[in-house]
Coordinates of all heavy atoms in Angstrom, one line a residue:
C197 N -33.8 -99.6 -29.9 CA -32.9 -98.9 -30.9 C -31.6 -99.4 -30.7 O -31.0 -99.6 -29.6 CB -33.1 -97.5 -30.6 SG -34.7 -96.7 -31.0
D198 N -30.8 -99.3 -31.8 CA -29.5 -99.7 -31.8 C -28.5 -98.5 -31.8 O -27.4 -98.7 -31.4 CB -29.1 -100.5 -33.0 CG -29.9 -101.9 -33.2 OD1 -30.2 -102.4 -32.2 OD2 -30.1 -102.2 -34.3
W199 N -29.0 -97.3 -32.0 CA -28.1 -96.1 -32.1 C -28.1 -95.3 -30.7 O -29.2 -95.1 -30.2 CB -28.5 -95.1 -33.1 CG -28.5 -95.8 -34.5 CD1 -27.6 -96.8 -35.0 CD2 -29.4 -95.5 -35.5 NE1 -28.0 -97.0 -36.3 CE2 -29.1 -96.3 -36.8 CE3 -30.5 -94.6 -35.8 CZ2 -29.6 -96.3 -37.9 CZ3 -31.1 -94.6 -36.9 CH2 -30.8 -95.4 -38.1
S200 N -27.0 -95.2 -30.2 CA -27.0 -94.5 -28.8 C -27.5 -93.1 -28.8 O -28.0 -92.7 -27.8 CB -25.6 -94.6 -28.3 OG -24.6 -93.8 -29.2
S201 N -27.4 -92.5 -29.9 CA -28.0 -91.1 -29.9 C -29.4 -90.9 -30.4 O -30.0 -89.9 -30.6 CB -27.1 -90.2 -30.9 OG -27.2 -90.7 -32.2
D202 N -30.1 -92.0 -30.7 CA -31.5 -91.9 -31.1 C -32.4 -91.8 -29.9 O -32.2 -92.1 -28.7 CB -31.9 -93.3 -31.7 CG -31.3 -93.4 -33.0 OD1 -30.8 -92.4 -33.6 OD2 -31.3 -94.5 -33.6
V203 N -33.6 -91.3 -30.2 CA -34.7 -91.2 -29.2 C -35.7 -92.2 -29.6 O -36.2 -92.0 -30.8 CB -35.3 -89.7 -29.1 CG1 -36.5 -89.7 -28.2 CG2 -34.2 -88.8 -28.8
C204 N -36.1 -93.1 -28.9 CA -36.9 -94.2 -29.3 C -38.1 -94.2 -28.2 O -37.9 -94.2 -26.9 CB -36.4 -95.5 -29.4 SG -35.2 -95.6 -30.7
S205 N -39.2 -94.4 -28.6 CA -40.4 -94.6 -27.7 C -41.5 -95.4 -28.3 O -42.0 -95.2 -29.4 CB -41.0 -93.2 -27.4 OG -42.2 -93.2 -26.7
S206 N -41.8 -96.4 -27.6 CA -43.0 -97.3 -28.1 C -44.2 -96.6 -28.1 O -45.1 -96.8 -28.8 CB -43.0 -98.6 -27.3 OG -43.2 -98.3 -25.9
D207 N -44.4 -95.6 -27.1 CA -45.7 -94.8 -27.0 C -45.8 -93.9 -28.2 O -46.9 -93.8 -28.7 CB -45.7 -94.0 -25.7 CG -45.7 -94.8 -24.5 OD1 -46.1 -96.1 -24.5 OD2 -45.3 -94.4 -23.4
L208 N -44.8 -93.2 -28.5 CA -44.9 -92.3 -29.7 C -44.7 -92.8 -31.0 O -45.0 -92.3 -32.0 CB -43.8 -91.2 -29.4 CG -44.0 -90.3 -28.2 CD1 -42.7 -89.4 -28.1 CD2 -45.2 -89.4 -28.3
Q209 N -44.0 -94.0 -31.0 CA -43.6 -94.8 -32.2 C -42.9 -93.8 -33.2 O -43.3 -93.6 -34.3 CB -44.9 -95.4 -32.9 CG -45.6 -96.4 -32.0 CD -46.9 -96.9 -32.6 OE1 -47.2 -96.6 -33.7 NE2 -47.6 -97.7 -31.9
T210 N -41.8 -93.3 -32.6 CA -41.0 -92.4 -33.5 C -39.5 -92.7 -33.1 O -39.2 -93.0 -32.0 CB -41.3 -90.9 -32.9 OG1 -42.7 -90.5 -33.2 CG2 -40.4 -89.8 -33.8
I211 N -38.7 -92.5 -34.2 CA -37.2 -92.6 -33.9 C -36.7 -91.3 -34.6 O -37.1 -91.0 -35.6 CB -36.7 -94.0 -34.6 CG1 -35.3 -94.1 -34.3 CG2 -36.9 -94.0 -36.1 CD1 -34.8 -95.6 -34.6
S212 N -35.6 -90.9 -33.9 CA -35.0 -89.7 -34.5 C -33.6 -90.0 -34.4 O -32.9 -90.7 -33.6 CB -35.2 -88.5 -33.5 OG -36.6 -88.2 -33.4
R213 N -32.8 -89.1 -35.3 CA -31.4 -89.1 -35.6 C -31.0 -87.7 -35.9 O -31.5 -87.1 -36.8 CB -31.0 -90.1 -36.6 CG -29.7 -90.3 -36.9 CD -28.9 -91.1 -35.9 NE -27.6 -91.5 -36.4 CZ -26.9 -92.2 -35.8 NH1 -27.3 -93.1 -34.9 NH2 -25.7 -92.5 -36.3
D214 N -29.9 -87.3 -35.3 CA -29.3 -86.0 -35.6 C -28.0 -86.1 -36.5 O -27.4 -87.0 -36.3 CB -28.8 -85.3 -34.3 CG -29.9 -84.8 -33.4 OD1 -31.1 -84.7 -33.9 OD2 -29.7 -84.6 -32.2
I215 N -28.0 -85.2 -37.4 CA -26.7 -85.1 -38.2 C -26.3 -83.6 -38.1 O -27.1 -82.7 -37.9 CB -27.0 -85.4 -39.7 CG1 -27.9 -84.5 -40.4 CG2 -27.6 -86.9 -39.8 CD1 -27.9 -84.6 -41.9
K216 N -25.1 -83.5 -38.3 CA -24.4 -82.1 -38.3 C -24.1 -81.7 -39.7 O -23.4 -82.4 -40.5 CB -23.1 -82.2 -37.5 CG -22.4 -80.9 -37.4 CD -21.2 -81.0 -36.5 CE -20.5 -79.6 -36.3 NZ -19.3 -79.9 -35.5
I217 N -24.6 -80.6 -40.1 CA -24.3 -79.9 -41.4 C -23.3 -78.8 -41.3 O -23.5 -78.0 -40.5 CB -25.6 -79.6 -42.1 CG1 -26.6 -80.7 -42.4 CG2 -25.3 -78.8 -43.5 CD1 -27.9 -80.2 -42.8
E218 N -22.2 -78.9 -42.2 CA -21.3 -77.8 -42.0 C -21.1 -77.0 -43.4 O -21.2 -77.6 -44.5 CB -19.9 -78.4 -41.7 CG -19.8 -79.0 -40.4 CD -18.5 -79.6 -40.0 OE1 -17.6 -79.8 -41.0 OE2 -18.3 -80.0 -39.0
N219 N -21.1 -75.6 -43.3 CA -20.8 -74.9 -44.5 C -19.3 -74.5 -44.3 O -18.8 -73.8 -43.6 CB -21.6 -73.6 -44.4 CG -21.3 -72.7 -45.6 OD1 -20.5 -73.0 -46.4 ND2 -21.8 -71.5 -45.5
N220 N -18.5 -75.3 -45.2 CA -17.0 -74.9 -45.3 C -16.7 -74.0 -46.3 O -15.5 -73.9 -46.6 CB -16.4 -76.3 -45.6 CG -16.6 -77.3 -44.3 OD1 -16.4 -76.9 -43.1 ND2 -16.8 -78.6 -44.6
F221 N -17.6 -73.3 -46.8 CA -17.4 -72.2 -47.9 C -17.2 -71.0 -47.1 O -17.7 -70.7 -46.2 CB -18.6 -72.2 -48.8 CG -18.7 -73.4 -49.7 CD1 -19.7 -74.3 -49.4 CD2 -17.9 -73.7 -50.7 CE1 -19.9 -75.5 -50.1 CE2 -18.0 -74.9 -51.5 CZ -19.0 -75.8 -51.2
N222 N -16.6 -69.9 -47.9 CA -16.4 -68.7 -47.4 C -17.6 -67.7 -47.8 O -17.4 -66.5 -47.9 CB -15.1 -67.9 -47.7 CG -15.0 -67.9 -49.3 OD1 -15.8 -68.3 -50.0 ND2 -13.9 -67.4 -49.7
R223 N -18.8 -68.3 -48.2 CA -20.0 -67.4 -48.5 C -21.2 -68.2 -47.9 O -21.1 -69.4 -47.4 CB -20.1 -67.4 -50.1 CG -20.2 -68.8 -50.6 CD -20.4 -68.7 -52.2 NE -20.4 -70.0 -52.8 CZ -19.5 -70.7 -53.2 NH1 -18.2 -70.3 -53.0 NH2 -19.6 -71.9 -53.8
K224 N -22.2 -67.4 -47.7 CA -23.5 -68.0 -47.3 C -24.1 -68.9 -48.3 O -24.0 -68.7 -49.5 CB -24.4 -66.7 -47.1 CG -25.7 -67.1 -46.3 CD -26.4 -65.8 -45.8 CE -27.5 -65.3 -46.7 NZ -28.5 -64.4 -46.2
I225 N -24.7 -69.9 -47.7 CA -25.3 -70.9 -48.7 C -26.8 -71.3 -48.2 O -27.0 -71.0 -47.1 CB -24.5 -72.3 -48.8 CG1 -24.4 -73.0 -47.3 CG2 -23.3 -72.1 -49.4 CD1 -23.9 -74.4 -47.3
K226 N -27.6 -71.7 -49.1 CA -28.9 -72.2 -48.6 C -28.9 -73.7 -48.8 O -28.4 -74.3 -49.6 CB -29.9 -71.6 -49.6 CG -31.3 -72.0 -49.3 CD -32.4 -71.4 -50.2 CE -33.8 -71.8 -49.7 NZ -34.8 -71.1 -50.5
I227 N -29.6 -74.3 -47.7 CA -29.7 -75.8 -47.5 C -31.2 -76.1 -47.9 O -32.1 -75.5 -47.2 CB -29.3 -76.3 -46.2 CG1 -27.9 -75.8 -45.9 CG2 -29.4 -77.8 -46.0 CD1 -26.8 -76.6 -46.7
I228 N -31.3 -77.0 -48.7 CA -32.7 -77.6 -49.1 C -32.7 -79.1 -48.9 O -31.8 -79.8 -49.3 CB -33.2 -77.3 -50.5 CG1 -33.1 -75.7 -50.7 CG2 -34.5 -77.8 -50.8 CD1 -33.2 -75.3 -52.1
I229 N -33.6 -79.6 -48.1 CA -33.6 -81.1 -47.8 C -34.8 -81.7 -48.5 O -36.0 -81.1 -48.3 CB -33.5 -81.5 -46.3 CG1 -32.5 -80.7 -45.6 CG2 -33.7 -82.8 -46.1 CD1 -32.4 -80.7 -44.1
K230 N -34.7 -82.7 -49.3 CA -35.7 -83.4 -50.0 C -35.7 -84.9 -49.7 O -34.7 -85.4 -49.5 CB -35.6 -83.1 -51.5 CG -35.7 -81.8 -51.9 CD -35.9 -81.7 -53.5 CE -36.2 -80.2 -53.8 NZ -36.5 -80.1 -55.2
S231 N -36.8 -85.5 -49.6 CA -36.9 -86.9 -49.4 C -37.7 -87.5 -50.4 O -38.6 -86.9 -51.1 CB -37.4 -87.2 -47.9 OG -38.8 -86.7 -48.0
S232 N -37.5 -88.9 -50.7 CA -38.4 -89.7 -51.6 C -38.5 -91.0 -51.0 O -37.8 -91.4 -50.2 CB -37.7 -89.6 -53.0 OG -36.4 -90.2 -52.9
G233 N -39.3 -91.8 -51.6 CA -39.5 -93.3 -51.4 C -40.6 -93.5 -50.4 O -41.4 -92.6 -50.0
K234 N -40.8 -94.6 -49.9 CA -41.9 -95.0 -49.1 C -41.9 -94.3 -47.7 O -43.0 -94.1 -47.1 CB -41.9 -96.5 -48.8 CG -42.2 -97.3 -50.0 CD -42.2 -98.8 -49.6 CE -42.3 -99.7 -50.9 NZ -42.1 -101.1 -50.5
I235 N -40.8 -94.0 -47.2 CA -40.7 -93.4 -45.9 C -40.9 -91.8 -45.9 O -41.1 -91.2 -44.9 CB -39.3 -93.7 -45.2 CG1 -39.2 -93.6 -43.8 CG2 -38.2 -92.8 -45.8 CD1 -40.2 -94.6 -43.0
S236 N -40.9 -91.3 -47.0 CA -41.1 -89.8 -47.3 C -42.2 -89.2 -46.4 O -42.1 -88.1 -45.9 CB -41.1 -89.5 -48.7 OG -41.0 -88.2 -49.0
N237 N -43.4 -89.9 -46.5 CA -44.6 -89.2 -45.9 C -44.5 -89.4 -44.3 O -45.3 -88.7 -43.6 CB -45.9 -90.1 -46.3 CG -46.2 -89.7 -47.7 OD1 -45.9 -88.7 -48.3 ND2 -46.9 -90.6 -48.3
N238 N -43.6 -90.2 -43.8 CA -43.5 -90.3 -42.3 C -42.1 -89.8 -41.8 O -41.7 -89.8 -40.7 CB -43.4 -91.8 -42.0 CG -44.8 -92.4 -42.3 OD1 -45.1 -92.6 -43.5 ND2 -45.6 -92.6 -41.3
L239 N -41.5 -88.9 -42.6 CA -40.2 -88.2 -42.3 C -40.4 -86.8 -41.9 O -41.0 -86.1 -42.6 CB -39.2 -88.3 -43.4 CG -37.8 -87.7 -43.1 CD1 -37.1 -88.5 -42.0 CD2 -37.0 -87.6 -44.4
L240 N -40.0 -86.3 -40.7 CA -40.0 -85.0 -40.3 C -38.6 -84.5 -40.2 O -37.8 -85.2 -39.6 CB -40.8 -84.8 -39.0 CG -42.2 -85.3 -39.0 CD1 -42.8 -85.4 -37.5 CD2 -43.1 -84.5 -39.9
V241 N -38.3 -83.2 -40.6 CA -36.9 -82.7 -40.5 C -37.2 -81.4 -39.7 O -38.1 -80.6 -39.9 CB -36.5 -82.3 -41.9 CG1 -35.1 -81.7 -41.9 CG2 -36.5 -83.6 -42.8
S242 N -36.3 -81.3 -38.7 CA -36.5 -80.2 -37.8 C -36.3 -78.8 -38.5 O -37.0 -77.9 -37.9 CB -35.4 -80.3 -36.7 OG -34.1 -80.2 -37.2
E243 N -35.6 -78.6 -39.5 CA -35.4 -77.4 -40.3 C -35.2 -77.6 -41.7 O -34.5 -78.6 -42.0 CB -34.4 -76.6 -39.5 CG -34.3 -75.1 -40.0 CD -33.4 -74.3 -39.1 OE1 -32.8 -74.7 -38.2 OE2 -33.2 -73.1 -39.6
N244 N -35.7 -76.9 -42.5 CA -35.6 -77.0 -44.0 C -35.5 -75.7 -44.7 O -36.1 -74.7 -44.2 CB -36.6 -78.0 -44.6 CG -36.2 -78.5 -45.9 OD1 -35.1 -78.2 -46.6 ND2 -37.1 -79.4 -46.5
N245 N -34.9 -75.7 -45.8 CA -34.9 -74.4 -46.6 C -34.3 -73.2 -45.7 O -35.0 -72.1 -45.5 CB -36.3 -74.0 -47.1 CG -36.8 -75.1 -48.1 OD1 -36.0 -75.5 -49.0 ND2 -38.1 -75.3 -48.0
F246 N -33.1 -73.3 -45.3 CA -32.5 -72.4 -44.4 C -31.2 -72.0 -44.9 O -30.6 -72.6 -45.8 CB -32.3 -73.0 -42.9 CG -31.6 -74.1 -42.8 CD1 -30.2 -74.2 -42.6 CD2 -32.1 -75.5 -43.0 CE1 -29.3 -75.3 -42.6 CE2 -31.4 -76.6 -42.9 CZ -30.0 -76.5 -42.6
Y247 N -30.7 -70.9 -44.4 CA -29.4 -70.3 -44.8 C -28.3 -70.6 -43.7 O -28.6 -70.5 -42.6 CB -29.5 -68.8 -45.1 CG -30.3 -68.5 -46.2 CD1 -31.7 -68.1 -46.1 CD2 -29.9 -68.4 -47.6 CE1 -32.5 -68.0 -47.2 CE2 -30.6 -68.1 -48.6 CZ -32.0 -67.9 -48.5 OH -32.7 -67.5 -49.5
M248 N -27.1 -70.8 -44.2 CA -26.0 -71.0 -43.2 C -24.9 -69.9 -43.6 O -24.5 -69.8 -44.7 CB -25.4 -72.3 -43.3 CG -26.4 -73.5 -43.0 SD -25.7 -75.1 -43.0 CE -24.5 -74.9 -41.6
K249 N -24.4 -69.3 -42.6 CA -23.3 -68.4 -42.6 C -22.0 -69.1 -43.0 O -21.9 -70.3 -42.7 CB -23.1 -67.6 -41.2 CG -24.2 -66.7 -40.9 CD -23.9 -66.0 -39.6 CE -25.0 -65.2 -39.2 NZ -24.9 -64.6 -37.9
P250 N -21.0 -68.4 -43.6 CA -19.7 -69.1 -43.9 C -19.1 -69.7 -42.7 O -19.2 -69.2 -41.5 CB -18.8 -67.9 -44.4 CG -19.8 -66.9 -44.8 CD -21.1 -67.0 -44.0
F251 N -18.6 -70.8 -42.9 CA -17.8 -71.7 -41.8 C -18.6 -71.9 -40.6 O -18.1 -71.9 -39.5 CB -16.4 -71.0 -41.6 CG -15.6 -70.8 -42.7 CD1 -15.5 -69.4 -43.3 CD2 -15.0 -71.7 -43.4 CE1 -14.7 -69.2 -44.4 CE2 -14.2 -71.6 -44.6 CZ -14.1 -70.2 -45.0
S252 N -19.9 -72.2 -40.8 CA -20.7 -72.4 -39.6 C -21.1 -73.9 -39.7 O -21.0 -74.6 -40.7 CB -22.0 -71.5 -39.6 OG -22.9 -71.7 -40.7
S253 N -21.9 -74.3 -38.7 CA -22.5 -75.7 -38.6 C -23.8 -75.7 -37.9 O -24.2 -74.6 -37.2 CB -21.5 -76.7 -37.9 OG -21.4 -76.3 -36.5
K254 N -24.6 -76.7 -38.2 CA -26.0 -76.8 -37.6 C -26.4 -78.2 -37.5 O -26.1 -79.0 -38.3 CB -27.0 -76.0 -38.5 CG -28.3 -76.0 -38.0 CD -29.3 -75.3 -39.0 CE -29.0 -73.8 -39.0 NZ -30.0 -73.1 -38.1
N255 N -27.0 -78.6 -36.3 CA -27.5 -79.9 -36.1 C -29.0 -79.9 -36.6 O -29.8 -79.0 -36.3 CB -27.5 -80.2 -34.7 CG -26.2 -80.6 -34.2 OD1 -25.3 -81.1 -35.0 ND2 -25.7 -80.2 -33.0
I256 N -29.3 -80.9 -37.4 CA -30.7 -81.2 -37.9 C -31.2 -82.5 -37.4 O -30.4 -83.5 -37.5 CB -30.7 -81.1 -39.4 CG1 -30.2 -79.8 -39.9 CG2 -32.0 -81.4 -40.0 CD1 -31.1 -78.6 -39.6
T257 N -32.4 -82.5 -37.0 CA -33.0 -83.8 -36.5 C -33.9 -84.4 -37.6 O -34.8 -83.7 -38.0 CB -33.7 -83.6 -35.1 OG1 -32.8 -83.0 -34.3 CG2 -34.2 -84.8 -34.6
F258 N -33.7 -85.6 -38.0 CA -34.6 -86.3 -38.7 C -35.3 -87.3 -37.9 O -34.7 -88.2 -37.1 CB -33.8 -87.1 -39.8 CG -33.1 -86.4 -40.8 CD1 -31.8 -85.7 -40.5 CD2 -33.8 -86.0 -42.1 CE1 -31.2 -85.0 -41.5 CE2 -33.1 -85.3 -43.0 CZ -31.8 -84.6 -42.7
S259 N -36.7 -87.3 -37.9 CA -37.6 -88.2 -37.2 C -38.5 -88.8 -38.1 O -39.0 -88.4 -39.1 CB -38.4 -87.4 -36.2 OG -37.6 -86.7 -35.2
V260 N -38.6 -90.2 -37.8 CA -39.7 -91.1 -38.6 C -40.6 -91.4 -37.7 O -40.3 -91.9 -36.5 CB -38.8 -92.2 -39.2 CG1 -39.9 -93.1 -40.0 CG2 -37.8 -91.7 -40.2
H261 N -41.8 -91.3 -38.0 CA -43.0 -91.7 -37.1 C -43.7 -92.8 -37.8 O -43.8 -92.9 -39.0 CB -43.8 -90.5 -36.7 CG -44.5 -89.8 -38.0 ND1 -45.7 -90.3 -38.5 CD2 -44.1 -88.8 -38.7 CE1 -46.0 -89.5 -39.5 NE2 -45.2 -88.6 -39.7
S262 N -44.5 -93.6 -37.0 CA -45.2 -94.7 -37.6 C -46.8 -94.4 -37.9 O -47.6 -95.2 -38.3 CB -45.2 -95.9 -36.6 OG -45.8 -95.5 -35.4
K263 N -47.3 -93.1 -37.7 CA -48.7 -92.7 -38.0 C -49.0 -93.0 -39.4 O -48.3 -92.6 -40.3 CB -48.8 -91.3 -37.7 CG -50.2 -90.8 -37.8 CD -50.3 -89.3 -37.5 CE -51.8 -88.9 -37.7 NZ -52.0 -87.5 -37.4
G264 N -50.0 -93.8 -39.6 CA -50.6 -94.1 -41.0 C -50.0 -95.3 -41.4 O -50.5 -95.9 -42.5
L265 N -48.9 -95.9 -40.8 CA -48.5 -97.2 -41.4 C -49.2 -98.3 -40.7 O -49.5 -98.4 -39.5 CB -46.9 -97.4 -40.9 CG -46.0 -96.2 -41.3 CD1 -44.5 -96.5 -40.9 CD2 -46.0 -96.3 -43.0
T266 N -49.8 -99.1 -41.4 CA -50.8 -100.1 -41.0 C -50.1 -101.6 -40.7 O -50.8 -102.3 -40.2 CB -51.8 -100.4 -42.0 OG1 -51.3 -100.7 -43.2 CG2 -52.6 -99.1 -42.2
E267 N -48.8 -101.7 -41.2 CA -48.2 -103.1 -40.9 C -46.8 -102.8 -40.8 O -46.2 -102.0 -41.3 CB -48.6 -104.0 -42.0 CG -48.3 -103.7 -43.4 CD -48.7 -104.6 -44.5 OE1 -50.0 -104.7 -44.6 OE2 -47.9 -105.1 -45.2
F268 N -46.1 -104.0 -40.2 CA -44.6 -103.9 -40.0 C -44.1 -104.2 -41.4 O -44.6 -104.8 -42.2 CB -44.3 -105.0 -39.0 CG -44.6 -104.7 -37.7 CD1 -45.5 -105.3 -36.9 CD2 -43.9 -103.6 -36.9 CE1 -45.9 -105.0 -35.6 CE2 -44.1 -103.4 -35.7 CZ -45.3 -104.0 -35.0
G269 N -42.9 -103.8 -41.6 CA -42.2 -103.9 -42.9 C -41.0 -103.0 -43.1 O -40.7 -102.1 -42.2
D270 N -40.4 -103.0 -44.2 CA -39.4 -102.2 -44.6 C -39.9 -101.1 -45.4 O -40.6 -101.2 -46.4 CB -38.3 -103.0 -45.5 CG -37.6 -104.1 -44.7 OD1 -37.4 -103.9 -43.5 OD2 -37.2 -105.1 -45.3
Y271 N -39.6 -99.8 -44.8 CA -40.0 -98.7 -45.5 C -38.9 -97.8 -45.9 O -38.2 -97.3 -45.0 CB -41.1 -97.8 -44.6 CG -42.2 -98.5 -44.4 CD1 -42.4 -99.4 -43.3 CD2 -43.4 -98.3 -45.2 CE1 -43.6 -99.9 -42.9 CE2 -44.6 -99.0 -44.9 CZ -44.7 -99.8 -43.8 OH -45.9 -100.5 -43.7
D272 N -38.4 -97.9 -47.1 CA -37.1 -97.3 -47.5 C -37.4 -95.9 -48.1 O -38.6 -95.7 -48.5 CB -36.3 -98.2 -48.5 CG -37.2 -98.6 -49.7 OD1 -38.3 -98.3 -49.8 OD2 -36.4 -99.2 -50.5
G273 N -36.3 -95.3 -48.4 CA -36.3 -94.0 -49.1 C -35.0 -93.4 -49.1 O -34.0 -94.0 -48.6
S274 N -34.9 -92.1 -49.6 CA -33.6 -91.4 -49.6 C -33.8 -90.0 -49.1 O -34.9 -89.4 -49.4 CB -32.9 -91.5 -50.9 OG -33.6 -91.0 -51.9
V275 N -32.9 -89.4 -48.6 CA -32.8 -88.0 -48.3 C -31.7 -87.3 -49.1 O -30.6 -87.8 -49.1 CB -32.5 -87.8 -46.8 CG1 -32.4 -86.3 -46.5 CG2 -33.7 -88.3 -46.1
I276 N -31.8 -86.1 -49.6 CA -30.9 -85.4 -50.5 C -30.9 -84.1 -49.8 O -31.8 -83.4 -49.6 CB -31.4 -85.2 -52.1 CG1 -31.5 -86.7 -52.7 CG2 -30.3 -84.5 -52.7 CD1 -32.1 -86.7 -54.0
L277 N -29.5 -83.7 -49.6 CA -29.2 -82.3 -49.1 C -28.8 -81.6 -50.4 O -27.7 -81.8 -50.9 CB -28.2 -82.3 -48.0 CG -28.7 -83.0 -46.8 CD1 -27.6 -83.8 -46.1 CD2 -29.2 -82.0 -45.9
I278 N -29.4 -80.4 -50.7 CA -29.1 -79.6 -51.7 C -28.4 -78.2 -51.2 O -29.0 -77.7 -50.3 CB -30.2 -79.3 -52.7 CG1 -30.8 -80.6 -53.2 CG2 -29.9 -78.4 -53.8 CD1 -32.2 -80.4 -53.8
T279 N -27.2 -77.9 -51.7 CA -26.7 -76.6 -51.3 C -26.7 -75.7 -52.5 O -26.5 -76.0 -53.6 CB -25.2 -76.8 -50.8 OG1 -24.4 -77.4 -51.9 CG2 -25.2 -77.7 -49.6
K280 N -27.0 -74.4 -52.3 CA -27.0 -73.4 -53.3 C -26.4 -72.2 -52.8 O -26.4 -71.9 -51.6 CB -28.5 -73.0 -53.7 CG -29.3 -74.2 -54.4 CD -30.7 -73.7 -54.8 CE -31.4 -74.8 -55.6 NZ -32.6 -74.3 -56.1
R281 N -25.7 -71.4 -53.7 CA -25.2 -70.1 -53.3 C -26.4 -69.2 -52.9 O -27.4 -69.2 -53.4 CB -24.5 -69.5 -54.5 CG -23.3 -70.3 -54.7 CD -22.5 -69.5 -55.9 NE -21.4 -70.3 -56.3 CZ -20.5 -69.9 -57.1 NH1 -20.6 -68.7 -57.7 NH2 -19.4 -70.6 -57.4
A282 N -26.1 -68.5 -51.8 CA -27.2 -67.6 -51.4 C -27.0 -66.2 -52.0 O -25.9 -65.9 -52.4 CB -27.1 -67.4 -49.8

């Protein structure tokens, strides 16, 4: 792995990355995380469809596993974070 904060294991065939989400609004918001593309079926998110209090932050872990992937290659995709008023 190239990222110092990643967790990599050849036994588990999983790589993880944490991101920090911040609510900089003075109201409660709902966070919805959606993914698409080839990697979507192999992406796990530690928490989804959750509420955040005003001026709070939360760490979310994104993990990609190789279960079901039969060959080496590029598996791309995208992640969208949607915020809604609560």
Side-chain angles (χ1 to χ4, degrees):
C197 290
D198 295 332
W199 302 327
S200 61
S201 63
D202 288 345
V203 175
C204 296
S205 170
S206 59
D207 296 336
L208 297 175
Q209 298 178 2
T210 301
I211 187 167
S212 297
R213 180 77 172 192
D214 289 341
I215 67 164
K216 182 179 181 181
I217 299 174
E218 296 181 349
N219 177 8
N220 294 318
F221 296 105
N222 62 358
R223 63 181 176 273
K224 189 164 104 171
I225 61 170
K226 182 175 184 179
I227 303 291
I228 302 165
I229 301 170
K230 293 188 176 190
S231 65
S232 63
K234 293 179 184 177
I235 201 65
S236 190
N237 290 336
N238 296 77
L239 178 67
L240 300 172
V241 181
S242 61
E243 193 170 351
N244 197 358
N245 297 317
F246 59 91
Y247 293 92
M248 294 184 68
K249 295 178 181 179
F251 305 107
S252 65
S253 64
K254 180 179 286 261
N255 286 323
I256 301 295
T257 302
F258 291 84
S259 300
V260 177
H261 62 84
S262 61
K263 183 178 179 181
L265 301 177
T266 57
E267 56 188 62
F268 291 107
D270 292 328
Y271 295 91
D272 60 353
S274 62
V275 174
I276 299 171
L277 293 142
I278 301 166
T279 60
K280 294 185 175 186
R281 290 183 184 186

